[in-house]
Every structure is written in structure tokens, then in C-alpha cells.
Amino acid sequence: MSQKQKDIQSEIVDFEVITQEEYQNQQADRVAKVVFDGEENAEKTGNLITQFVASYEQHKHEMPLNEWLTAEFRKHPTIWQDEAEIESTSREVIASVQDANTAKESLYAHLDKGKSRESWIAKKIEDGAAVAGVTQVGFYAKNLDQALSDANLNAFNAIFNKKEDVFGDWEASANPHMHGFIAEVDVANQFNLNATASQSGVSAEVLGVTSLNSADLVIHDAAGQVLQHVQVKSYADVNQAVNNIRSHGYQSGTTLLVHENQVERLQREFPNLNVTSKLEAGGVSSDMPSYEKLKELQRDAQTREESRQYKWNDVNRINIAKGIGKQALLGAGIAAGMQGTRILSRRIWNKMTGKKNPPVSEDLKEFFESSVKSAKHVGVQVAVSGAVVVAVKSGWVGKLLKGTPAGKIAEAVYVGMENARILYKFAKGEVSGAEAVDAMGNVTCSAVGGLMGASAGMTEGAALGLTFGPVGAVIGGFVGGIVGGMAGSKIGDAVYAGGKALVKTAVSVVKTLFTGVKEAAKAVARILNPFKWFA
């Protein structure tokens, strides 16, 4: 690799670098390798999309959408556990696409009245909280989104080890006592989320030290002083817990966090220790999970390679709405600036079609020619989403989306198709660059609104991460390029050209969301650089 290539991968500092053909082709290569594990899988995914759309167009007048999608899923019998999973996945995909389109209609009706995007998001959050049974939306701290991100990262790190190979993949630890480590991280995560939401200065820290009698975690005050040393004990049998604690001889006053049904016995056995099932300090608390719940999380980690995801909950809707609004524009900036994904989809489309002139999908052509406000193309969006769900479950989209619910995949596809239509409008001169990126922000917000709709309730940080983040944008960008080609060469070329021309606007949008020239430059370097996304 040349020094110039290394420099490009290390840092993006300006528009000229991002628009270099060499850089964009490297971006496409990186996406193909990391996301699809090679262009062969990307081609399989593209072919599957064409098959699903062709089948949908053939049967749409004779079969209800749910019946057709279920039948299409049955053509891939090895990826499903049973018939019930096929039917539930079909319902989930359709509901997700319908919810996003319904939310889009609602958002544009709101905007057409001269109201703001943020006020619409706030109302959707409030509605979602009501659906989830949350009777009161609580206090919000501006760093809650970071606290959620930290919590999810901590949960991941507690159960996964990095493989010692050139690919740097991750694998779940086989430790039979993993539930104990999960307990420490979960209690600390819950405590810190509650502290952030209540704007308290206290915090919990997992020490990760295994020396004799060392604390499992400590509680700090706002000044960093230690308030409590905490031992976390998770045993199914209280007699085992008694024997373990006696063997250590902990210092008097040590907090002993145990399962609720063991508190009374352990308080009698160890009156000099602060035995409790609730970690409390500075008006903040978190509960010790049950032994059964911890073992369930361990099984999820070791058999399904899944870590716990922490939820958006009890936060002020206006402040969260502003945060989501900013993240939506960042997501739009990522999608607009990701020309490498469109290069990859163009490569794959050319491989798929060769010198042939494939038949044009009339449904997709109609989709691209319709207004960006239109929500009348649920069927073909479901068809494309169904194909990508099968591709993910078949292992053609690598490990980054492994275990992702079908509905979340459908939302990423929805965003990609909607954004491709906006690129087409931009290429035709129907909208300006700034209007195109703003419309992409509306697409992201409508997807989030769908997540918070009646079929979803309050959502998880991970779901929003897929909608906003680079992985979702990669999937969406790839899908957008493929369906553009399926709508005809004129539309496919316009989507590609529109994306290439919109990169400069994407850089400008990302910069405006950060204060200071240096911070803005670093944001562009981080957010629009795929070599940093998957590092």
C-alpha cells in the first residue's frame, strides 16, 4: 500500500480527498470486504433483490402481500427454525415498512403546517412512551445518548473477546461463570444510566480486578471520591454464596450486592456487611438482576452471540427530539457522503447484467418517479426488504447485522430506497443539495417515528444506531443503487450521479453540526471515513 493510500485511510481532512476517485474506490473495497465479506456475497444479495421484486410484480394482483412474502420466504427453508418464524418475520417486515410510511405521511403533514421536525419527533416519542406503558416521561440529561452507547459497549466487552487473527473478529467468551461478569456490568450500567437521567454526579465503575478481596465495582461521587466498595455475588444456591463470602473475609462495611431472595439470610450471616439487592448512592439506584435473568443473558451471549441492549426510557421528549434531529442530519450526511457504497452497487449491478439489457421494474420506476412525500409503494419496499432479510440470515451480509431483527433490517432498506429516490430528484434538478440532505433527514426521522409507532413502542438504542449509523447507511446505499438500476439505466445513472454530486453538500452539513473549525474537521474525518467505522 502506498503512503498516499495510508494517508487517505488514516484521515479525511477536506472535500478534495473525499471526492478523489482513488479514495471512493477504496471505500467501496472496504465496504465489500467488511460488510459483505466479499463481492460474491454482495452479488448474491443483489440477485436475490431482483428475484424478490420480479416475484412480487408477478403475484401482487393475485396474492395478499403477507401471503406472498411468506411463500417467498419458504423458498429458503434452511434459514428458518420453523413455520412460525417464517410467518412472524413476514408480519414484522410488513409492519415495519408500513409504520415508516405512515410516519412519513404524518411528518410531512406536520411540516406542511409550518411546524418543526423536532416537535413532530417529540410527539412521536410521547406516543411511543404511552404505547410502552410509560405513564410519565422523566428527566433528561444531555449526555444520555452517550451513556446508552457506553452501556451497550460495556455489555459487549463483558462477554466478547477479540480473536487473535488478522481479521480482528470477536467471539463470545466460553467462561461458565460469565453471568457473574454480566451482573457487575449490568448493575453498573443501570446505575450510570439512572445517574445520567437524573443529572446526578455519582457513577459506578467496574474495576475488572481479580486479586483476592478486591472490589468488583466502586461508586464515585462527582469529585471522583470513592463512596462505596461493592462485591457482586450471583449464586443459585444461597449456601454456596455463604461459603464463598466466608472464605474471603471482606472488610466491615463492604457493600455486598446479592439476589433479592438471598438478602435476609445473608444479612443474618454477615451483620458487619452492607448486604442488599439494590445499589444506592446519591439518590440513584439500580437493582441486582435475578440469577435466572443473568443465566439467560449468558446463554444469549454464548449461543447466539448477543449482548444486552439498553433502552431509551424516561427522558425528556423535547431534548431527546433535538438530539434525534441532529443525529438524523448526521445520518443523512453519512448516507449522502457514502459514494463508495454506490460505486459498489454499480459494480455489482454491472456484473449481474453484463451486456444484457434487463427488463425494467415498473414498480420501482413508478417509485422513483413519484414524490418524495409519497407513501404508496409499500409492496415493492417490502419485496426488497424481504430479500435483504434472507441475505442477512443466509450470512451474505457478514457478522455486523447478525441477530438483527427483521424489522430493523426493513427500516434500513426503507431509508436506503427513500434516499435513492431523493438522489434521483437531486440529479434531475428538482431539489437543491441542501434540500436533498434535509429530505434525507426527514426519511431518517420517519424511520425513527415508525420505530416508535404502535407496533414497536419505545425502542432500543441499538435500533436507532442501525437507522442512524454507518452500517445501516451502507446497507441502504447498496440497496438504493441496486433498485435504481432495476428501475432502468436512466434512473440508475441519475442516482449514481446525484450521489457523487451530493458528497460536497454532505461534508458541509456534517461541519455545521459541530462548533469550531477543528472540531468540525475532526467530525468529517471520523464520520465520513469508512476506515474508521469498522476499526
Side-chain angles (χ1 to χ4, degrees):
M1 180 182 294
S2 68
Q3 184 61 44
K4 181 179 180 182
Q5 289 174 317
K6 292 179 181 179
D7 291 342
I8 288 175
Q9 291 188 15
S10 173
E11 191 83 352
I12 301 175
V13 294
D14 55 28
F15 165 66
E16 284 72 22
V17 173
I18 292 176
T19 55
Q20 285 178 9
E21 185 175 350
E22 180 183 5
Y23 164 74
Q24 292 178 345
N25 277 287
Q26 288 184 45
Q27 189 187 56
D29 293 340
R30 177 68 168 166
V31 168
K33 178 181 178 181
V34 177
V35 178
F36 290 97
D37 198 22
E39 288 193 9
E40 181 180 352
N41 285 336
E43 187 173 352
K44 289 180 182 178
T45 303
N47 279 317
L48 196 62
I49 291 172
T50 64
Q51 292 167 21
F52 266 66
V53 171
S55 175
Y56 166 72
E57 291 183 330
Q58 180 182 352
H59 298 290
K60 64 180 180 179
H61 296 302
E62 60 191 57
M63 297 176 70
L65 186 58
N66 186 58
E67 184 180 325
W68 167 80
L69 184 58
T70 302
E72 206 67 23
F73 281 161
R74 290 195 189 103
K75 295 178 181 178
H76 307 272
T78 60
I79 64 175
W80 311 103
Q81 293 181 355
D82 49 35
E83 178 68 16
E85 185 187 8
I86 293 175
E87 293 177 357
S88 65
T89 302
S90 178
R91 290 192 297 269
E92 185 179 354
V93 168
I94 293 171
S96 296
V97 176
Q98 288 175 332
D99 285 347
N101 277 283
T102 299
K104 181 173 69 171
E105 286 185 312
S106 171
L107 172 58
Y108 274 108
H110 186 87
L111 296 175
D112 288 344
K113 295 177 182 177
K115 299 180 180 180
S116 70
R117 185 160 56 199
E118 286 71 24
S119 64
W120 179 84
I121 298 170
K123 182 62 168 61
K124 294 300 294 183
I125 293 172
E126 189 176 63
D127 292 344
V131 169
V134 180
T135 57
Q136 181 179 357
V137 179
F139 297 104
Y140 172 75
K142 65 180 180 179
N143 292 323
L144 182 57
D145 55 347
Q146 184 60 52
L148 282 163
S149 176
D150 291 343
N152 289 324
L153 180 61
N154 292 338
F156 180 91
N157 288 335
I159 63 176
F160 287 98
N161 300 319
K162 196 162 189 177
K163 292 182 181 178
E164 296 299 327
D165 59 27
V166 295
F167 299 105
D169 290 337
W170 296 83
E171 62 183 352
S173 166
N175 189 335
H177 305 298
M178 180 195 287
H179 70 284
F181 297 108
I182 293 175
E184 296 170 14
V185 172
D186 185 66
V187 168
N189 279 342
Q190 295 284 8
F191 186 90
N192 289 333
L193 290 174
N194 291 337
T196 303
S198 62
Q199 303 183 59
S200 172
V202 294
S203 62
E205 177 188 5
V206 177
L207 298 181
V209 179
T210 57
S211 56
L212 184 65
N213 292 345
S214 59
D216 293 320
L217 56 90
V218 293
I219 305 298
H220 297 283
D221 64 14
Q225 298 298 312
V226 174
L227 300 177
Q228 292 183 42
H229 292 85
V230 184
Q231 295 288 341
V232 181
K233 300 294 181 181
S234 177
Y235 288 91
D237 183 352
V238 69
N239 292 316
Q240 287 183 311
V242 170
N243 292 336
N244 177 272
I245 296 165
R246 280 181 177 158
S247 70
H248 284 278
Y250 294 119
Q251 184 176 349
S252 179
T254 296
T255 295
L256 198 64
L257 192 66
V258 300
H259 300 301
E260 185 177 14
N261 62 347
Q262 299 176 354
V263 170
E264 186 175 350
R265 166 76 184 279
L266 294 175
Q267 284 177 337
R268 291 198 307 269
E269 297 281 352
F270 306 100
N272 63 320
L273 301 179
N274 176 28
V275 181
T276 180
S277 63
K278 184 185 292 289
L279 190 62
E280 294 182 286
V284 176
S285 67
S286 63
D287 294 320
M288 175 71 164
S290 69
Y291 179 84
E292 293 73 21
K293 178 62 178 178
L294 292 172
K295 295 302 286 187
E296 178 187 336
L297 291 171
Q298 179 177 338
R299 285 192 296 272
D300 287 344
Q302 292 178 331
T303 63
R304 300 168 61 184
E305 295 192 339
E306 293 180 359
S307 59
R308 177 172 179 177
Q309 300 295 326
Y310 292 86
K311 297 180 180 180
W312 293 80
N313 193 17
D314 291 305
V315 292
N316 180 277
R317 62 189 181 93
I318 296 297
N319 287 302
I320 278 287
K322 291 178 179 177
I324 288 178
K326 177 178 178 178
Q327 292 300 315
L329 282 178
L330 277 176
I334 292 173
M338 202 177 296
Q339 184 64 3
T341 62
R342 293 181 280 272
I343 290 175
L344 176 62
S345 63
R346 193 175 181 86
R347 284 182 195 168
I348 298 304
W349 180 249
N350 288 338
K351 280 186 178 182
M352 290 166 53
T353 57
K355 296 182 179 180
K356 297 181 296 182
N357 188 19
V360 171
S361 164
E362 292 300 326
D363 282 75
L364 285 172
K365 183 177 179 181
E366 182 181 323
F367 168 80
F368 277 97
E369 296 292 359
S370 64
S371 165
V372 296
K373 297 181 181 181
S374 174
K376 307 299 183 185
H377 301 88
V378 169
V380 73
Q381 289 176 316
V382 165
V384 177
S385 297
V388 178
V389 167
V390 171
V392 170
K393 291 183 72 66
S394 298
W396 302 343
V397 193
K399 297 180 180 179
L400 292 176
L401 289 180
K402 186 177 181 180
T404 302
K408 307 302 178 284
I409 296 170
E411 284 142 12
V413 171
Y414 162 84
V415 170
M417 291 183 68
E418 294 286 338
N419 284 345
R421 175 164 55 182
I422 291 166
L423 291 177
Y424 177 58
K425 304 296 184 185
F426 171 60
K428 290 175 64 180
E430 295 182 17
V431 295
S432 67
E435 289 170 336
V437 175
D438 188 65
M440 288 181 170
N442 288 340
V443 168
T444 303
C445 286
S446 66
V448 173
L451 285 169
M452 295 176 177
S455 68
M458 287 295 280
T459 187
E460 298 180 354
L464 296 181
L466 179 62
T467 304
F468 290 139
V471 176
V474 165
I475 299 303
F478 175 81
V479 167
I482 294 296
V483 297
M486 293 172 64
S489 59
K490 178 182 176 182
I491 292 176
D493 290 345
V495 170
Y496 181 83
K500 189 170 185 178
L502 198 60
V503 173
K504 183 176 183 179
T505 304
V507 174
S508 299
V509 167
V510 171
K511 285 183 176 180
T512 62
L513 295 172
F514 295 86
T515 57
V517 174
K518 188 174 182 180
E519 183 184 356
K522 287 183 177 180
V524 171
R526 182 181 70 256
I527 293 168
L528 297 181
N529 188 345
F531 301 101
K532 291 180 179 283
W533 297 337
F534 312 116

